[in-house]
Amino acid sequence: MTNTAQQLDTTPLVDTGYYAAVTEAIRAEAARLLTDGTVAAVIGYQAGKRKGTAMPAIITDPARANDLIFSPACVNNLALYLTKAKKDIRKTGKVAIVAKGCDMRALAGLMGESQLKREDVHIIAVACAGVKGSGAATGEPLTTANIAKKCRECTVREPKGADSVAGSLPSLPELSPVEAEELARLEAMTPRERWSFWKEHFSRCVRCLACRSICPFCYCEQCMCDRNRPQAVETSPRPAGNMAWHIVRAMHLSGRCAGCAECERACPMDIPLNLLNRKMAKELKELYGHEAGLEPKEKGPLAEYREDDDQSFIK
Amino acid sequence: MPKTITEQNLRLLVDTLLKEGARVVAPKQAGTMALYEPLKSGDELALGALPRRSAKETFFPLCETILTFEKDKGGVRVNDVDPASFPETVLLCARPCDAAAPSILDAVFSWDYNDEFYLERRRKTTIIGLACTTADDACFCTAVGLSPADTRGSDLFLTPLEGGGYAAQAVTDKGKELLEKRAQFFSDAGSAKPLPPAEPAGESLDLEKIKSWLDNNFENPLWTEIADRCAGCGACAFLCPACHCFDIVDEGTEAKGARRKSWDACGFAKFTNHASGHNPRDMQNKRYRNRIMHKFKYYGDKFGQTLCTGCGRCIRACPVGIDIKAVLDEINSK
């Protein structure tokens, strides 16, 4: 976010009473679930040390339910903590998870891919007004200028299919879809221009792999991109390997990505990774009529084979 | 006699150094962020910004080729990279938290093995530090014994002055030599006062106390508590001025390729994975413990220094909100 944008609009988008109500509902539900033994742990958010920050919290003691919060800084997709990458938490038994609408798509996807059983998870959904985007200062309220790009065109503010819903949604202003506009701008480019756009971005990639580590769908215990005998993708942060890594990742997530945009948020080098994900999602919708949604689907188009598949592209 | 330099002369100094064939690395705007990058002209210098990545890559690049190999009829030819070919470098406007780091890292790169790639760059580099006049709530240099006006690691140190320009103080002989050799860009100090240094808000840490707790708490539930949250990415280590783990890989084909050294991170699941398949740090709690132990115990045990300069980059970048200062505060309060 630019300073100009900040000056243009610093009016809070939502009344603080909304966050207080969501927080209260989450706490009450967490305390109830832990006390009556419905779940062994609750995965939610707690305040960070710096003013206005938040971070994931995993609580097992009902006495700690009051540590849980919901605020514009609750950006994480907590579904990450239910995948194989974080298998320790699941071992504790049935768990409850606080989920925004966008995060519920990831839960549905993980169920579709047999990584998670509906009966093993208690979903505390949030009627969500949005969270802050990267670059927003800690401590400042949620505004039309600093709201995360994905929230500007959210379609699941009031998620369905959860075990309970925390809070009720206040009325929100119409927000311009900056990410869709950026995607349209990219699509209007010539292939050469697009190539140079991505080349420039990927040149800054340091291969910290935060994009992979934070993604709920990157749950493979053995990533092909870590292998060195044979080596499929160069692991050193150089143009060839960086390009290969991001293309492999985009392809692997096609039709699976739930659009939480965590990869883009986690990227310390500000690579607009969600644009790639969105583009692939769009392709999958156009080519196969497939879309990652809130209903678990067993297989996406790139994960199954049918005898009557179109083979015409093989020359 | 104290000296000053105007912003314009600082940029002209860059141009002169470049014209003479030196590499000038300094904060430069790169897309949405500033990075320490080689400049093409003094105009590119971004004076107000704290670069997203630290300045360590001036000495310890993100990725560097250490040899190349080629197979031909006569066998395999191996070509070493000669560190003597590295250019003279000026690292300009390094923040105190960045300028201090290489002077800490010298110990590990010249301990049981002299890493000539690192050491030759160090020998050929002059560091011009720049005092910080602003800090954010992630900055904690004062808590680890540095300060926004600390000259540690700098050869020459600049302090912003009221009304513009910088006071220039030579810290080492290298810095003194630069001041004398480039005297045309510097003036005698006038009456302008230095801008007050930034005041990072974090409480001070008792590093001895922290080390002694770490001495006795290799096994502690704290490690699991943090690791439950840690996503195991390398963002913290990659942005850190002091983290220096690296990996070496051969890339290319059997016929032709290169051996490359690039950054590694203790957050990664495969960090310390042995060829046998055994991994002594097989779980995230052991890896996060290693991160804290390395910075606040092992490096102290071995080299008598703390491997953290309080830049706060790991705090700003952590995608799951792990705040190393909060972790240290907790240990400090035990």
Side-chain angles (χ1 to χ4, degrees):
Chain A
M1 193 183 58
T2 64
N3 288 333
T4 333
Q6 230 170 351
Q7 281 155 12
L8 281 177
D9 198 342
T10 50
T11 323
L13 198 65
V14 198
D15 189 86
T16 49
Y18 156 77
Y19 297 105
V22 177
T23 298
E24 198 44 53
I26 290 171
R27 286 176 180 175
E29 181 75 342
R32 183 183 72 78
L33 295 168
L34 287 169
T35 308
D36 70 16
T38 309
V39 300
V42 177
I43 307 170
Y45 304 95
Q46 71 182 69
K49 181 166 167 277
R50 289 180 298 151
K51 187 174 172 270
T53 61
M55 61 182 177
I58 297 140
I59 62 161
T60 50
D61 179 0
R64 277 198 59 208
N66 281 349
D67 288 352
L68 297 175
I69 61 156
F70 190 75
S71 76
C74 295
V75 291
N76 298 72
N77 178 355
L78 302 174
L80 173 74
Y81 294 101
L82 297 176
T83 61
K84 276 186 190 157
K86 304 297 288 179
K87 53 192 166 195
D88 272 12
I89 299 157
R90 287 279 300 287
K91 277 187 201 152
T92 55
K94 182 168 177 170
V95 289
I97 186 165
V98 175
K100 306 183 292 289
C102 51
D103 306 337
M104 285 187 63
R105 274 207 211 100
L107 292 174
L110 291 172
M111 286 172 205
E113 294 182 14
S114 305
Q115 298 303 308
L116 189 61
K117 288 190 183 123
R118 182 65 184 88
E119 60 267 29
D120 289 343
V121 59
H122 182 103
I123 304 173
I124 308 171
V126 173
C128 179
V131 290
K132 285 198 286 188
S134 301
T138 54
E140 68 185 21
L142 184 74
T143 68
T144 51
N146 70 14
I147 192 167
K149 282 186 287 181
K150 65 173 177 179
C151 304
R152 302 186 73 91
E153 38 199 309
C154 176
T155 55
V156 280
R157 292 200 184 280
E158 293 186 274
K160 292 185 177 64
D163 295 288
S164 66
V165 178
S168 62
L169 200 64
S171 73
L172 293 168
E174 189 82 1
L175 298 164
S176 56
V178 294
E179 203 177 33
E181 286 162 9
E182 180 66 357
L183 188 60
R185 189 179 77 83
L186 278 182
E187 286 175 334
M189 285 179 177
T190 63
R192 184 188 282 262
E193 286 168 339
R194 244 188 336 260
W195 184 249
S196 82
F197 173 89
W198 288 111
K199 218 162 86 175
E200 163 76 19
H201 277 294
F202 295 152
S203 73
R204 271 200 293 278
C205 173
V206 290
R207 302 293 276 281
C208 68
L209 300 173
C211 49
R212 184 177 76 180
S213 310
I214 205 74
C215 175
F217 289 94
C218 276
Y219 54 70
C220 303
E221 289 191 8
Q222 173 75 63
C223 177
M224 181 191 89
C225 296
D226 279 338
R227 291 193 69 89
N228 57 5
R229 281 191 310 174
Q231 187 180 59
V233 173
E234 286 193 356
T235 54
S236 59
R238 297 172 66 252
N242 289 357
M243 188 65 82
W245 159 245
H246 288 289
I247 291 174
V248 165
R249 194 174 169 277
M251 287 301 292
H252 189 30
L253 285 168
S254 298
R256 304 172 64 227
C257 170
C260 69
E262 281 285 89
C263 49
E264 178 169 324
R265 180 185 71 81
C267 177
M269 292 295 112
D270 294 354
I271 301 173
L273 293 168
N274 202 44
L275 285 175
L276 258 189
N277 297 338
R278 284 190 63 154
K279 175 65 180 162
M280 296 312 287
K282 211 171 153 188
E283 293 283 320
L284 268 278
K285 193 175 178 189
E286 281 165 16
L287 289 169
Y288 303 99
H290 171 91
E291 210 171 359
L294 287 167
E295 287 299 318
K297 285 180 194 164
E298 204 178 320
K299 279 197 167 87
L302 299 190
E304 73 179 320
Y305 170 75
R306 288 190 207 151
E307 284 196 12
D308 61 348
D309 275 345
D310 180 8
Q311 312 275 344
S312 63
F313 68 95
I314 304 173
K315 300 225 165 70
Chain B
M1 184 60 142
K3 297 282 179 187
T4 62
I5 186 167
T6 63
E7 184 183 321
Q8 195 192 2
N9 275 357
L10 194 59
R11 293 182 194 275
L12 288 173
L13 171 65
V14 173
D15 290 336
T16 305
L17 291 166
L18 289 170
K19 211 175 290 170
E20 291 171 6
R23 179 172 77 126
V24 180
V25 177
K28 175 184 164 183
Q29 200 61 36
T32 49
M33 73 197 84
L35 293 172
Y36 287 105
E37 284 195 340
L39 302 185
K40 289 196 188 74
S41 92
D43 293 341
E44 290 182 333
L45 186 60
L47 282 156
L50 174 72
R52 187 72 61 86
R53 297 203 299 255
S54 80
K56 74 179 170 195
E57 57 198 282
T58 314
F59 314 100
F60 171 45
L62 174 56
C63 176
E64 70 179 320
T65 298
I66 53 179
L67 61 83
T68 57
F69 53 86
E70 207 169 335
K71 211 173 177 181
D72 58 22
K73 282 175 198 154
V76 178
R77 264 188 302 131
V78 174
N79 309 303
D80 286 321
V81 169
D82 182 8
S85 64
F86 297 161
E88 288 291 331
T89 297
V90 175
L91 169 59
L92 183 65
C93 294
R95 297 288 171 175
C97 51
D98 284 324
S103 66
I104 297 169
L105 292 178
D106 291 347
V108 70
F109 282 112
S110 59
W111 161 55
D112 60 343
Y113 177 80
N114 285 330
D115 184 324
E116 281 304 322
F117 291 88
Y118 171 91
L119 294 172
E120 182 65 3
R121 287 195 183 91
R122 278 289 278 148
R123 279 191 282 271
K124 285 184 167 160
T125 301
T126 305
I127 300 180
I128 304 182
L130 171 65
C132 292
T133 51
T134 57
D136 72 6
D137 58 356
C139 290
F140 65 101
C141 64
T142 45
V144 290
L146 281 166
S147 85
D150 208 303
T151 61
R152 180 175 179 182
S154 293
D155 296 300
L156 186 70
F157 194 75
L158 305 177
T159 307
L161 296 169
E162 276 178 7
Y166 302 87
Q169 173 199 352
V171 184
T172 65
D173 287 344
K174 248 186 193 174
K176 204 171 153 204
E177 196 188 311
L178 190 141
L179 261 187
E180 283 164 6
K181 207 172 156 197
R182 312 288 174 188
Q184 73 271 32
F185 297 108
F186 296 89
S187 326
D188 289 343
S191 57
K193 279 191 202 147
L195 285 173
E199 289 179 31
E203 291 149 38
S204 208
L205 295 165
D206 182 342
L207 295 171
E208 281 302 311
K209 189 181 166 192
I210 289 171
K211 199 179 106 49
S212 111
W213 187 87
L214 293 174
D215 285 338
N216 298 304
N217 285 278
F218 192 72
E219 302 290 347
N220 191 286
L222 176 73
W223 307 124
T224 309
E225 206 180 295
I226 301 164
D228 274 350
R229 193 175 292 143
C230 177
C233 75
C236 52
F238 280 20
L239 300 195
C240 174
C243 278
H244 55 268
C245 286
F246 58 82
D247 194 14
I248 292 179
V249 288
D250 287 349
E251 292 177 328
T253 63
E254 198 190 340
K256 192 179 178 184
R259 178 162 298 171
R260 299 189 179 112
K261 171 180 162 194
S262 44
W263 296 352
D264 200 351
C266 54
F268 294 157
K270 296 213 161 19
F271 183 74
T272 66
N273 198 22
H274 296 180
S276 65
H278 171 65
N279 189 346
R281 298 187 186 93
D282 56 351
M283 298 298 287
Q284 207 62 37
N285 57 350
K286 297 179 190 168
R287 297 191 283 270
Y288 192 81
R289 173 178 64 198
N290 185 72
R291 179 167 179 75
I292 299 292
M293 289 276 182
H294 190 183
K295 290 188 175 298
F296 299 95
K297 171 176 156 54
Y298 304 148
Y299 210 82
D301 284 343
K302 202 154 197 76
F303 304 119
Q305 303 186 76
T306 298
L307 195 63
C308 168
T309 62
C311 73
R313 287 186 179 89
C314 57
I315 300 175
R316 293 180 203 100
C318 179
V320 296
I322 296 173
D323 182 327
I324 199 172
K325 178 62 169 42
V327 174
L328 294 169
D329 281 340
E330 189 179 337
I331 296 175
N332 202 42
S333 70
K334 282 181 191 282

